[in-house]
Amino acid sequence: MKQDAIKIYTEAEEHMKSVLNDLSKLSTDGMEAMLKLAKPVTFRKKQIIYQEGEIAQKLYFIHKGIVMAYYYVDDKLTIDRFIKEGEFIGGQVSYSTKIPSNLTFVTLEESVMLELDANSFLKLCADSHEIQSVYSLYLTQHFKRYSDMIVAFRALTAEDKYAKFMELYGTLVNRISLRNIAIFLGMKHETLSRIRSRMGK
Amino acid sequence: MIKYPNKHTEAEAKEFLKRFLNSIVDVQEKELNLLINLFDLVTYKKNSIIINEGEIAEYFYFIYKGIVKVYFYKNDKPVIERFEKEGGLFGGNFTHLTKKPGTHVYESIEDVTLLRIKYADLEALCAQSHDIERLYRVNMELFHTKYVENLFIFKSLSSEERYHEFVRQFGDLTNRVSLKEISNYLGMTPETLSRIRAK
């Protein structure tokens, strides 16, 4: 059991290393400084990582698992997005802006993550230009994906929305409940089922 | 578009930009000046397209005077995504990174005076100056937070509440933006908006 735990944590570190290196090749020192901040943690299924109204104290890199960001509108669940393996979460960058997030973040599966203390990370960004650059690059790409998604969902028909969902989250389709997919897409469960059967799932 | 001939206005606009940036993060004067010097002043008449759909933006803009609306087309109808006013920033929705034609149109709805910087210059300075890169990053974080919050407001409030939120955020814009444009942005018919305003 202990061996397994060590193995998965080593994998998590390797995973984060490859995500960072894909963005921009970091120096050995830079990479080591990042890994030094990262502490492996596991979350149970349906565990809340950030609560609405909270200012995040930690950042997480998702090695295994899926996180859902949501809020309630008049008691109705509204899903902002799903966050996949290989991505970071930080409570809507509240750890840096100090503006509380409107969203709650919850795991949909048992998850393995690397936890980074937000203040230590911000200090590292202040000390290392290289880390700050890679972080800016990550943020820019993330925001771009996010705004593309919003535009797509406002402009598309139900079928096209589902196709866009498959493009963004296709690899996760069997791991997210149909109910949650329907809520995310803002359509009725029946509409989603109809589209799925028409498109051959 | 005309390049602004009045050096006096350019100096004032740059002073305004400096104050704006300094209110976000403290940056050393020397570093900040490197950035400010890369900007130049341009003006556009009302109803000019500054960045068009299908373009790859070459410049990033800061608004000194005026209002810009940002929209895209859905089934040939414009959908207004946001307004930017004095102190606002816009830059073509990351087309400078993707090199793919943009989906948004950026159009002035008043005569506007803008400061603009070439993306290539901004990126080169970010690579060179840690301070400027930090400024860029924090700005992006704040922008994104506002973007998500507006989306949240859009999804979570009734039409009436959305209008009041618009007035709270953009109070000074309500007389500068047409009813048609406000109702488009809020996703309601002009009639619904008039009814709400009459109350």
Side-chain angles (χ1 to χ4, degrees), chain A residues 5-131:
Chain A
I6 292 170
K7 184 164 168 271
I8 198 152
Y9 292 155
T10 313
E11 282 169 9
E13 288 196 345
E14 287 304 319
H15 190 182
M16 186 169 83
K17 262 168 131 170
S18 81
V19 166
L20 295 174
N21 270 330
D22 281 350
L23 282 166
S24 150
K25 195 99 187 82
L26 284 179
S27 71
T28 319
D29 284 357
M31 190 61 88
E32 251 171 38
M34 268 304 277
L35 290 175
K36 234 174 107 183
L37 292 185
K39 193 180 98 196
V41 284
T42 52
F43 287 98
R44 292 184 313 276
K45 184 175 172 172
K46 293 190 178 164
Q47 199 169 342
I48 287 179
I49 301 173
Y50 308 110
Q51 189 74 255
E52 167 203 350
E54 188 181 317
I55 292 173
Q57 306 293 325
K58 310 279 183 201
L59 295 175
Y60 295 94
F61 171 79
I62 306 174
H63 170 55
K64 286 245 178 277
I66 306 173
V67 173
M68 174 171 98
Y70 68 92
Y71 52 93
Y72 279 94
V73 178
D74 301 329
D75 295 335
K76 211 177 114 220
L77 177 67
T78 306
I79 298 173
D80 180 73
R81 67 183 193 277
F82 302 101
I83 303 123
K84 295 189 283 196
E85 283 144 2
E87 294 185 46
F88 289 87
I89 48 174
Q92 288 309 105
V93 293
S94 59
Y95 61 89
S96 171
T97 60
K98 311 294 177 211
I99 301 169
S101 163
N102 295 321
L103 309 176
T104 298
F105 291 72
V106 67
T107 54
L108 292 183
E109 298 175 346
E110 187 179 296
S111 303
V112 180
M113 305 192 196
L114 293 175
E115 179 184 282
L116 292 85
D117 176 70
N119 286 332
S120 312
F121 176 69
L122 289 173
K123 179 154 188 316
L124 181 60
C125 283
D127 293 342
S128 157
H129 194 169
E130 162 183 50
I131 299 292

Side-chain angles (χ1 to χ4, degrees), chain A residues 96 125 132-133 135 154, chain B residues 74 130 133-134 137 141:
Chain A
S96 171
C125 283
Q132 164 125 299
S133 298
Y135 174 44
R154 270 181 84 177
Chain B
K74 174 182 182 174
H130 192 166
E133 171 123 53
R134 176 158 146 265
R137 186 204 93 208
E141 290 172 343

Side-chain angles (χ1 to χ4, degrees), chain B residues 74-86:
Chain B
K74 174 182 182 174
N75 304 328
D76 295 331
K77 282 206 192 89
V79 178
I80 298 179
E81 188 184 85
R82 64 184 216 263
F83 298 101
E84 292 291 350
K85 58 175 175 175
E86 286 84 12

Side-chain angles (χ1 to χ4, degrees), chain A residues 158-159 162 177-183 185-199:
Chain A
E159 271 86 1
Y162 183 69
S177 69
L178 274 187
R179 177 173 170 269
N180 280 340
I181 297 176
I183 293 172
L185 295 174
M187 56 179 77
K188 281 199 207 118
H189 199 291
E190 295 75 43
T191 313
L192 177 62
S193 297
R194 207 161 47 237
I195 292 172
R196 278 168 59 99
S197 59
R198 203 180 308 147
M199 293 173 74

